[in-house]
Amino acid sequence: MADNETRSVFIVGLRNAHAMENQALSIMKPQLSRIENYPEVAEKLDQHITETQGQIRRIEEILTGLDEDHSTLKDVALSVTGTMAALGHTVAGDEILKNSFANFAFENFEIAAYKSLLTVAESGGFMAAVSGLKANLAEEEAMAGWLDGHVTMLTKKFLSLRMSGKTAKV
């Protein structure tokens, strides 16, 4: 029974992670399309979108190896939620800052999710999943670190653009 429970928790967690990564794409892609004055942010978002697509593939490979599939319903629901969140910031005069803060929070949510999934994988003996989950975790930690390391620079650039009369929004 415990093995079945652990497997069940693991499958649900993987499906949630798959949906979470689809949500991340639905947040980042609209942001990327609106960035004009922050090429360093656009470059990093573009890189992380590619990483996120790879993360989705890794999760799908893990699920396939367990004879399972992702949850289309969860994917769609969280993608819609992500799109709405991204649209919510477009009306803000400091959209680039709000997006940066939200992205940092979301990256940390993803980090916690992958740490939890790794714990379940190791506890349940799903060792074939560990390397893929560790790769996803490392990419999320790198993105969170980048965002954390650039918030001061981004804020200063926003202020500079705003004070010079240029569009500071995106």
Side-chain angles (χ1 to χ4, degrees):
M1 186 65 168
D3 289 343
N4 286 338
E5 287 299 316
T6 303
R7 185 185 197 303
S8 177
V9 168
F10 191 51
I11 299 303
V12 168
L14 289 167
R15 287 178 177 152
N16 289 343
H18 191 274
M20 171 185 73
E21 294 301 354
N22 277 294
Q23 181 181 21
L25 289 177
S26 72
I27 291 169
M28 291 185 292
K29 286 181 177 181
Q31 288 177 10
L32 181 60
S33 70
R34 294 179 49 77
I35 293 175
E36 294 175 10
N37 291 321
Y38 303 87
E40 62 285 348
V41 175
E43 181 181 328
K44 190 64 178 177
L45 271 180
D46 189 47
Q47 174 193 341
H48 198 56
I49 286 169
T50 301
E51 289 172 346
T52 301
Q53 291 164 337
Q55 292 167 6
I56 289 169
R57 282 190 297 276
R58 285 186 205 113
I59 294 167
E60 288 172 350
E61 289 169 5
I62 294 167
L63 284 165
T64 299
L66 295 166
D67 293 323
E68 298 287 345
D69 200 2
H70 60 90
S71 170
T72 302
L73 180 61
K74 283 182 183 180
D75 289 351
V76 170
L78 287 181
S79 288
V80 169
T81 302
T83 300
M84 296 309 293
L87 288 174
H89 292 168
T90 61
V91 296
D94 60 349
E95 176 184 0
I96 191 72
L97 296 178
K98 284 192 173 37
N99 285 345
S100 180
F101 306 157
N103 290 347
F104 182 71
F106 198 81
E107 292 303 322
N108 280 282
F109 178 86
E110 290 174 304
I111 289 166
Y114 283 118
K115 286 180 177 181
S116 179
L117 271 172
L118 278 162
T119 301
V120 176
E122 291 167 352
S123 296
F126 303 106
M127 302 316 288
V130 170
S131 66
L133 294 173
K134 282 185 177 180
N136 286 10
L137 174 60
E139 290 170 353
E140 300 302 0
E141 289 173 332
M143 184 63 175
W146 188 91
L147 289 163
D148 186 43
H150 285 78
V151 70
T152 301
M153 176 277 304
L154 184 63
T155 303
K156 287 179 179 179
K157 185 170 184 176
F158 172 81
L159 288 171
S160 174
L161 286 169
R162 182 116 180 204
M163 286 193 259
S164 70
K166 296 178 184 170
T167 183
K169 190 172 178 182
V170 288

